[in-house]
Amino acid sequence: MRLVLEKRPERNRWMQVASPLLAVTLTVLFGCILFAVRGIDPLHAIYVYFIGPLTTLWSIEELIVKATPLVLIGAGLAICFRADLWNIGAEGQLIAGALAGGSIPILAPHWDSSLAIPAMLLLGMLGGMAWAAVPALLRNRFGANEILTSLMLVYVAQYLLDWLVRGPWRDPQGFNFPKSISFNDWHLLATFGDGRVHLGAVFALVVAAVLAVFMARTLKGFEIRARGEAPRASTFGGFSVPGTTWLCFGISGALAGLAGICEVAGPVGQLQPTISPGYGFTAIIVAFLGRLNPLGALFGGLVLAVCYLGGEAAQVELSISEKTAQVFQGVLLFLILACDTLVRCRVRLERGTQGSSSGQGAAPPLGIEDAGSRAASEGAAR
Amino acid sequence: MNGLEAVLLTIITASTPLLLAAVGELVTERSGVLNLGVEGMMIMGAVTGFAAAHTTGSAAVGVAAAIATGVAMALLFAFLTQTLAANQMATGLALTLFGIGLSGLIGQSFTGLPGVKLGAVYLPWLSDLPLVGPVLFAQDVLVYASVAITAAVAWMFKRTRSGLVIRAVGSNHHSAHALGYDVAGVRYRCIAFGGACAGLAGAYLSLVYTPQWIENMAAGRGWIALALVVFATWSPNRVAVGAYLFGTVWIMGLYAQAIGVAIAPQFLASLPYLVTIAALLAISGNRTLTKVNTPACIGQTFVPDR
């Protein structure tokens, strides 16, 4: 008995939409099992976790607040991953954006002007972009692996933030708590009504839509897709590799920075040692759940925001750890990747050990040999 | 114990987890697979190692549990990347995110509990030598294991047929497949070995380095181990040198703080990460060394056509 993958001649369109939904469904099923094992009524737990956050106006607002940074970062990362560039340091870029943008309300608290917010947003984007430019530069100039450099910079950004809020930027009247001053009203993003949903949510919508058009309809977007799907062809086509790297890291860094400044000038309202519950990393899952499509990041961001909120609700109502949310996130990414195989391949179980059925269909099977027949041929080769 | 001894001892304890994780990842990468889940496997090894040792009172059981967990995590990665042909980068990231989350969940009930420290091995006569004795011959099993594993891996790649097969699979999976080697099978085994080593590294953290469970205690060591493999250009001997170099940097920050260097502790703490970037730059600039040694098929999904 073995698992045989047969490459589809074309990506299955239906599965392309269905696979993320299937992954989410399977994650919920996994949740049921996990809750049942821990002796919690699975149906009630699933309700609290995944449905509860959608039932009250307050929690829907909270959902949008949480989804905002996820969508912003996820849409940018989707572009990077499309180009086969692995920017996994979005968390660091988020912090850099928060620091750069937050410098205005902290260093010039009395600057009450209509220009203040645009300046903060701009600085935030520049900060994130600058932080992302480092791995891009190191990759272009020295060929250093961008995965490792971008990740290392997350730790550096976290320590930099920690130093600032404990040192030079600490609130002098803050009873020695490691916090900056609370931002003045004129340095906070406008909110909708009295709620917590802020201007960032609009940015997230606009960014997702603009990036989707950019990827689908512009030459630069084509360049990015070509880079990931056919790197050699894109080089022969005259697209510059360093150029694409700069572009992708610039966009994703700027968006992570924007998410960062929107967080501190929105729900957080000041700088403190922790300003994000790992949005930069969760956004990686958002990008994949959205099938690396900026519009898909909207869906992905909402699903993972439910995951965060559900985790908090479950902690209160079921007294299970909010860490469960992180486990679900990890499982969800595994399942997305596994379900993606269904888009590319037909999967079936085959009996017997000799794989002679590969003649069926035009597409060559992509596959997994069983140990027995392989060991035999390996022995023969020796 | 004098000052020099103390410094050398702490360097060894800081370097061993890096060495263990890096040498395992080296074998995985030599077979052409990039497993970005080292951090996740390590942290899971740390939490299960601690939990098993705390529950049974035996550090040996803890070590065994950590290895088993590391292998289990690695096999999950192998199933997705080898059997389901999923993207290796994304799957590795998933493994790390999953490992950090699950370890936090498991470890919650073990936070603040006293741990079991893996004892040092006493070697008669050798352990009593001045300076050399306490530093080199009164270590715990895992320190010796890290050196032995590195030596064994170096020997395997240099002298044995299996080493050659692994390199062949990593350098050109199509040719290796055409020669009749079981590409997926070889990779499964190499990934599992990498998991076992990462699990051991985790056990070292929670049973020797700080014998207790602290959330996220791997603190990026898994990622640094990944960087180490690149830095060492896939050579086991250079991985050992690199691990001790990085361990020294890790410790230097602590000593600088202890002797009262007027630099904010946050900057000293971010030193290992900055040094990692610098090391990557230094080695990536050397095109001959990297080009010759990089496994040609690293990170690529293998699609055999029969």
Side-chain angles (χ1 to χ4, degrees), chain B residues 120-209:
Chain B
V121 181
Y122 177 81
L123 302 168
W125 188 71
L126 281 175
S127 300
D128 299 326
L129 288 172
L131 185 62
V132 187
V135 172
L136 293 185
F137 299 112
Q139 294 287 352
D140 52 87
V141 188
L142 292 187
V143 172
Y144 299 129
S146 72
V147 177
I149 291 173
T150 313
V153 166
W155 175 77
M156 178 185 76
F157 279 125
K158 210 167 176 123
R159 295 263 176 254
T160 71
R161 189 178 179 87
S162 330
L164 207 58
V165 173
I166 294 174
R167 279 158 60 191
V169 166
S171 303
N172 191 331
H173 43 215
H174 293 296
S175 301
H177 176 71
L179 283 170
Y181 291 116
D182 177 12
V183 172
V186 169
R187 288 184 170 167
Y188 252 96
R189 274 168 267 167
C190 290
I191 295 168
F193 179 79
C197 288
L200 260 185
Y204 190 85
L205 289 179
S206 66
L207 296 175
V208 181
Y209 195 78

Side-chain angles (χ1 to χ4, degrees), chain B residues 19-113:
Chain B
L19 178 57
L20 280 168
V23 83
E25 177 66 14
L26 180 135
V27 174
T28 307
E29 289 191 14
R30 273 288 184 97
S31 78
V33 179
L34 180 61
N35 185 353
L36 293 182
V38 184
E39 179 88 0
M41 300 189 293
M42 199 192 235
I43 194 81
M44 281 298 290
V47 75
T48 49
F50 180 88
H54 177 83
T55 317
T56 61
S58 152
V61 175
V63 171
I67 295 178
T69 313
V71 172
M73 294 277 286
L75 287 179
L76 181 63
F77 173 85
F79 176 74
L80 277 158
T81 56
Q82 304 306 308
T83 303
L84 293 183
N87 181 304
Q88 290 178 13
M89 319 297 185
T91 312
L93 285 174
L95 199 64
T96 290
L97 294 173
F98 174 70
I100 291 176
L102 190 58
S103 67
L105 189 63
I106 297 174
Q108 214 160 32
S109 42
F110 293 97
T111 313
L113 294 180

Side-chain angles (χ1 to χ4, degrees), chain A residues 151 155 162 321 323 341 374, chain B residues 84 108 177 215 220 223 266:
Chain A
L151 188 99
Y155 293 97
D162 197 75
S321 163
K323 301 266 177 345
T341 305
R374 265 348 200 132
Chain B
L84 293 183
Q108 214 160 32
H177 176 71
E215 207 186 325
W223 292 104
Q266 289 91 345

Side-chain angles (χ1 to χ4, degrees), chain A residues 18-42:
Chain A
S19 84
L21 299 175
L22 184 64
V24 172
T25 315
L26 287 174
T27 308
V28 173
L29 275 179
F30 169 84
C32 282
I33 298 169
L34 190 78
F35 291 130
V37 166
R38 306 192 104 205
I40 302 163
D41 174 22

Side-chain angles (χ1 to χ4, degrees), chain A residues 112-138:
Chain A
D112 181 6
S113 150
S114 56
L115 285 177
I117 292 281
M120 283 164 64
L121 294 173
L122 188 69
L123 267 184
M125 290 172 75
L126 286 176
M129 212 189 263
W131 212 253
V134 178
L137 172 77
L138 301 184

